Amino acid sequence: MSKFVRIDRLLVAGRQILSRNGAKEFLESNKVMRKVLVKQADGSDAQEFVRVSTASERVDPLSILLNDQELDRLPLHGVVLPPMTLAVHKPVGHLSSNVRKPPEAPVVYDLVPEEYLLMEPPLNIVARLHENASGLLLLSQDGTVQHRLTSPKRPVERTYEVVVAGSAVSPMVSREDLRALTGGAHSPCQVQILQSDIATKQSTLLIKLQEEKYDQVRKMVELIGKQVVSLKRTAIGALSLSDLQLPEGSYRALSEQEIAAATLTLKQ
C-alpha cells in the first residue's frame, strides 16, 4: 500500500466520518492540515502546515493535524466510537489471511475498503475459513469478540451446509476419530441430511459443531468416506447469512445486537 492515501479514506480509517461521502463537508467545517517541506531562501528546508481542502488530495497519514491534534484515534465529534466488527461473506478462493501466497492470491481483506485497513487497532480475522470454503466470517477490532469466538471454555456453535458426492446415510464419526481430529477435546456434533438428489448424485448435509479446528468439517466428512463438493458456513452462533442478507463477496458492519448473536454460547 502506498505511503500516501486519499484524505477521505484516511478520515474514514480514523473514524472521523462514516463514509467518504461526508469528506467534503468535514473538510469545510474542520481544520485539517498536512505537513509540507518549503524551500527557504538560503536553500534549507522548513516544515510548514497547509490546509487540506479537497477530498481526493493524497496525504501522508503521519503528517496530518486535525484541529491542531494528531489524527490517530481522535473521537468522532467528541464521541468515542466502539471497536468495529464486520461480517464478511467469503467466496471460494479467497484466503483467510493478510498474506498473499502466491502473491496474486485474493484475500478476504480485498473485500473491504482500503481505508479500513488503515484502522488502529487493526481488523483481525475471526473464525477463519479454508480457501476452498465459503460463507460467514468476521473481521473485528474488538479483542473481546475475538476471545469469545475462540475460547474453548465457552464454545460458540458454527453451522455449515455441506454438499457431498453420492447419496447420504446417517453419518457417524467414531469417538476415537473425533478425538484424534480435535486434538483430544471434543463437543457434540449435530448432522442432519437436508437433501439427497438422485439426479445430481449429490447430497446436502447440515453440520453444527462447537469446538472447531481449521478445516475440521471437511476432514470429518472425509472420515465417513464422502467427498466434499462444496462447503459453506451459514451461521456463527445465532448470527446467520440469511438474517444478514449478505451477498457473496460483500460485507457490512455489525450492530451490538448482532455481535451479541454471533458470540452467543450454548453455556449461558
Side-chain angles (χ1 to χ4, degrees):
M1 186 182 300
S2 171
K3 177 182 178 182
F4 288 84
V5 297
R6 286 173 55 121
I7 187 62
D8 53 0
R9 291 181 171 176
L10 186 61
L11 290 172
V12 172
R15 310 295 295 276
Q16 303 304 310
I17 54 177
L18 298 180
S19 74
R20 285 190 281 166
N21 292 335
K24 180 179 179 181
E25 180 180 351
F26 186 90
L27 291 173
E28 290 174 351
S29 58
N30 291 272
K31 187 172 69 172
V32 181
M33 310 290 287
R34 66 181 179 89
K35 187 188 303 181
V36 296
L37 292 178
V38 177
K39 186 71 69 175
Q40 302 298 299
D42 61 0
S44 63
D45 291 329
Q47 291 184 351
E48 293 184 6
F49 281 89
V50 297
R51 186 153 189 167
V52 179
S53 57
T54 60
S56 61
E57 190 168 340
R58 299 181 71 84
V59 300
D60 180 351
L62 301 180
S63 73
I64 295 298
L65 291 181
L66 171 56
N67 298 327
D68 300 320
Q69 298 183 63
E70 292 184 0
L71 179 62
D72 184 34
R73 303 190 67 178
L74 283 173
L76 175 64
H77 302 307
V79 178
V80 177
L81 295 178
M84 178 180 286
T85 297
L86 304 178
V88 179
H89 188 165
K90 184 187 102 62
V92 170
H94 280 65
L95 303 177
S96 295
S97 173
N98 58 1
V99 179
R100 300 177 190 273
K101 292 184 178 180
E104 66 275 9
V107 296
V108 293
Y109 289 104
D110 295 335
L111 303 174
V112 302
E114 182 184 5
E115 53 264 30
Y116 285 10
L117 307 185
L118 301 173
M119 288 180 172
E120 290 293 340
L123 285 165
N124 291 316
I125 300 173
V126 186
R128 294 185 304 155
L129 282 168
H130 189 272
E131 176 185 0
N132 295 325
S134 64
L136 179 62
L137 59 75
L138 304 183
L139 300 176
S140 183
Q141 293 180 294
D142 193 335
T144 300
V145 170
Q146 297 170 40
H147 175 73
R148 287 178 178 174
L149 286 171
T150 55
S151 172
K153 294 183 179 180
R154 301 180 67 85
V156 175
E157 188 174 74
R158 273 84 154 170
T159 304
Y160 294 85
E161 192 172 287
V162 187
V163 177
V164 300
S167 60
V169 295
S170 296
M172 294 294 293
V173 178
S174 72
R175 181 176 293 272
E176 291 74 21
D177 283 339
L178 186 58
R179 184 175 293 277
L181 187 62
T182 59
H186 62 274
S187 294
C189 171
Q190 302 176 40
V191 182
Q192 178 184 352
I193 301 173
L194 296 180
Q195 180 181 341
S196 190
D197 193 321
I198 298 176
T200 62
K201 297 181 180 180
Q202 293 179 347
S203 302
T204 304
L205 308 178
L206 186 72
I207 299 179
K208 296 183 177 183
L209 72 163
Q210 297 172 40
E211 295 177 11
E212 179 186 4
K213 303 296 182 181
Y214 186 57
D215 206 28
Q216 178 180 336
V217 174
R218 185 182 304 274
K219 295 173 183 176
M220 289 173 60
V221 172
E222 291 173 351
L223 276 176
I224 61 173
K226 295 296 180 183
Q227 179 184 353
V228 174
V229 177
S230 66
L231 191 157
K232 181 178 185 177
R233 181 191 287 147
T234 57
I236 299 175
L239 184 71
S240 70
L241 282 174
S242 59
D243 290 338
L244 291 169
Q245 298 184 332
L246 199 61
E248 186 174 83
S250 62
Y251 77 95
R252 77 169 174 82
L254 296 180
S255 67
E256 290 185 9
Q257 292 77 13
E258 289 169 331
I259 293 172
T263 56
L264 181 67
T265 71
L266 301 181
K267 299 178 181 180
Q268 297 293 321

